[in-house]
Amino acid sequence: MKKLLFGVLVLSFMSGCNSDNIANQTEESSNKQESLSGSALKRGCPSEEIRKIALQNSSELRQKYSELESKTEKFQNDLKLGKVLSDGTVEIPVVVNVLYRTSSENISASRIAEQIAVLNADYGGTNTDASSIPTAFQGVKAGDVKVRFRLANTVRKSTTKTSWSTNDAMKRSSSGGIDATSPANYLNIWVVGNMGQILGYATFPESSGLWNDGVVIAASYFGKTGASAPFNKGRTATHEVGHYLNLRHIWGDANCGNDLVSDTPTQTGPNYGTPSYPLYNTCGGVQRSVMFMNYMDYVDDAAMFMFSAGQKTRMQSVVASSGARSGLRLY
């Protein structure tokens, strides 16, 4: 069982960004993890790396991170003891900020609605491909995460920029972007043009209310209609919103790392493409069937279709009335 060693994790965040690739290099995967579905493009999400840099540079953020994980652990323990009363389903208001240079980047209102519908299905556990969850993981599937999404507004702005990076320029009007709408109370999603190999990235709950808080997604991978295969089922948003609600990558961003969720099997690293079940990894001398179909892995959109119950608890913790993202409950 994975433990909530958040104190150790805080220290690890203060070390070099690539240090998590040094340890446990002898662990092996008994199956090839990469099974690319006819595309050379792999899912790329630098959210954790961006978070590490932010934590290294800010003692205030490190303190908020430590408090966040302490509250999450308490919420989990109180839930087990029956001390937590359900706050019911939380509906998160969403502002979609569209920065476009071409007509294809100026995504339509129907495509935005389509993406919101995907988020509601995936977080509500009503996605049609949930029926593909293997029997071995049926007992730990999240089902309804009790989080829903409602489009509150769409803001559009024409730009001459041909590419974007992860420096958050899209989040400032002074740098050609769009300022966030009340980030403590709204989930801001910026949809931009080309970001190279990056499909999207997000901030974590310790950044709640800051000017750069929210999710960024490349236009080619937003929604379904007109999106680029194999990332054309709206799951990039599902993945990035998972980070926004305090989920880490399922492999813990380290070889046989810790994602702070006890019911997701430890795995050697990310999976890509469309793997076949079962896929086995060996970590700590123990062979396990990995949950590559989890939304927080790196597989193609068609291959990811579940959260675990432990991930549900982490997300509920941050949107609870006492959680880091409680401000989202105000609208």
Side-chain angles (χ1 to χ4, degrees), residues 131-154:
S131 60
S132 300
I133 297 173
T135 301
F137 299 136
Q138 286 286 336
V140 297
K141 69 179 180 180
D144 187 358
V145 176
K146 300 292 185 181
V147 173
R148 298 292 186 275
F149 303 86
R150 169 179 57 84
L151 181 65
N153 193 22
T154 300

Side-chain angles (χ1 to χ4, degrees), residues 6-60:
F6 61 86
V8 175
L9 284 166
V10 170
L11 293 176
S12 72
F13 278 130
M14 297 174 68
S15 64
C17 286
N18 294 322
S19 63
D20 59 4
N21 293 321
I22 297 174
N24 300 318
Q25 292 299 309
T26 60
E27 303 292 2
E28 298 179 352
S29 169
S30 58
N31 283 2
K32 187 177 181 182
Q33 292 185 3
E34 296 182 15
S35 176
L36 298 184
S37 55
S39 172
L41 179 63
K42 300 178 182 179
R43 187 177 301 279
C45 166
S47 298
E48 197 68 49
E49 288 79 3
I50 294 169
R51 183 192 209 185
K52 287 181 180 180
I53 294 171
L55 290 172
Q56 288 168 13
N57 294 334
S58 172
S59 59
E60 181 179 358

Side-chain angles (χ1 to χ4, degrees), residues 286-304:
V286 178
Q287 186 182 72
R288 301 175 178 85
S289 176
V290 299
M291 195 184 285
F292 64 80
M293 69 292 303
N294 193 281
Y295 291 123
M296 302 314 294
D297 209 329
Y298 268 8
V299 294
D300 293 350
D301 278 18
M304 55 169 59

Side-chain angles (χ1 to χ4, degrees), residues 16-299:
C17 286
N18 294 322
S19 63
D20 59 4
N21 293 321
I22 297 174
N24 300 318
Q25 292 299 309
T26 60
E27 303 292 2
E28 298 179 352
S29 169
S30 58
N31 283 2
K32 187 177 181 182
Q33 292 185 3
E34 296 182 15
S35 176
L36 298 184
S37 55
S39 172
L41 179 63
K42 300 178 182 179
R43 187 177 301 279
C45 166
S47 298
E48 197 68 49
E49 288 79 3
I50 294 169
R51 183 192 209 185
K52 287 181 180 180
I53 294 171
L55 290 172
Q56 288 168 13
N57 294 334
S58 172
S59 59
E60 181 179 358
L61 276 184
R62 290 196 297 272
Q63 179 63 31
K64 287 183 178 180
Y65 170 81
S66 182
E67 292 172 356
L68 170 67
E69 289 303 331
S70 292
K71 287 183 178 180
T72 299
E73 185 172 14
K74 183 179 186 303
F75 184 91
Q76 292 171 326
N77 291 335
D78 286 349
L79 188 64
K80 292 176 183 178
L81 296 173
K83 296 181 180 180
V84 176
L85 297 177
S86 174
D87 286 330
T89 298
V90 176
E91 185 179 68
I92 297 176
V94 181
V95 176
V96 177
N97 303 295
V98 182
L99 287 154
Y100 65 94
R101 184 178 64 88
T102 65
S103 58
S104 62
E105 292 175 358
N106 190 17
I107 56 174
S108 66
S110 61
R111 189 162 159 187
I112 293 173
E114 186 179 58
Q115 179 65 81
I116 297 296
V118 170
L119 287 172
N120 282 325
D122 289 350
Y123 282 81
T126 60
N127 51 303
T128 57
D129 47 3
S131 60
S132 300
I133 297 173
T135 301
F137 299 136
Q138 286 286 336
V140 297
K141 69 179 180 180
D144 187 358
V145 176
K146 300 292 185 181
V147 173
R148 298 292 186 275
F149 303 86
R150 169 179 57 84
L151 181 65
N153 193 22
T154 300
V155 182
R156 299 178 185 273
K157 183 176 181 178
S158 177
T159 179
T160 59
K161 289 180 69 70
T162 58
S163 64
W164 299 85
S165 68
T166 59
N167 65 359
D168 288 339
M170 70 287 293
K171 303 175 183 180
R172 282 192 187 278
S173 59
S174 59
S175 56
I178 299 172
D179 292 335
T181 299
S182 302
N185 307 122
Y186 293 87
L187 162 57
N188 280 262
I189 299 178
W190 287 267
V191 182
V192 301
N194 177 43
M195 288 199 294
Q197 295 295 306
I198 296 172
L199 277 65
Y201 70 96
T203 54
F204 287 80
E206 68 269 12
S207 297
S208 178
L210 298 181
W211 66 271
N212 64 338
D213 190 25
V215 169
V216 180
I217 300 175
S220 294
Y221 314 113
F222 187 87
K224 298 194 298 184
T225 304
S228 298
F231 308 111
N232 58 345
K233 291 185 176 296
R235 263 59 192 271
T236 294
T238 301
H239 177 103
E240 299 304 338
V241 171
H243 289 314
Y244 178 83
L245 296 177
N246 206 30
L247 297 187
R248 303 187 72 193
H249 291 136
I250 194 171
W251 67 97
D253 287 272
N255 188 275
C256 297
N258 187 355
D259 67 347
L260 304 182
V261 179
S262 62
D263 60 9
T264 55
T266 303
Q267 63 186 56
T268 56
N271 296 292
Y272 298 98
T274 55
S276 297
Y277 179 83
L279 175 66
Y280 295 100
N281 281 184
T282 299
C283 287
V286 178
Q287 186 182 72
R288 301 175 178 85
S289 176
V290 299
M291 195 184 285
F292 64 80
M293 69 292 303
N294 193 281
Y295 291 123
M296 302 314 294
D297 209 329
Y298 268 8
V299 294

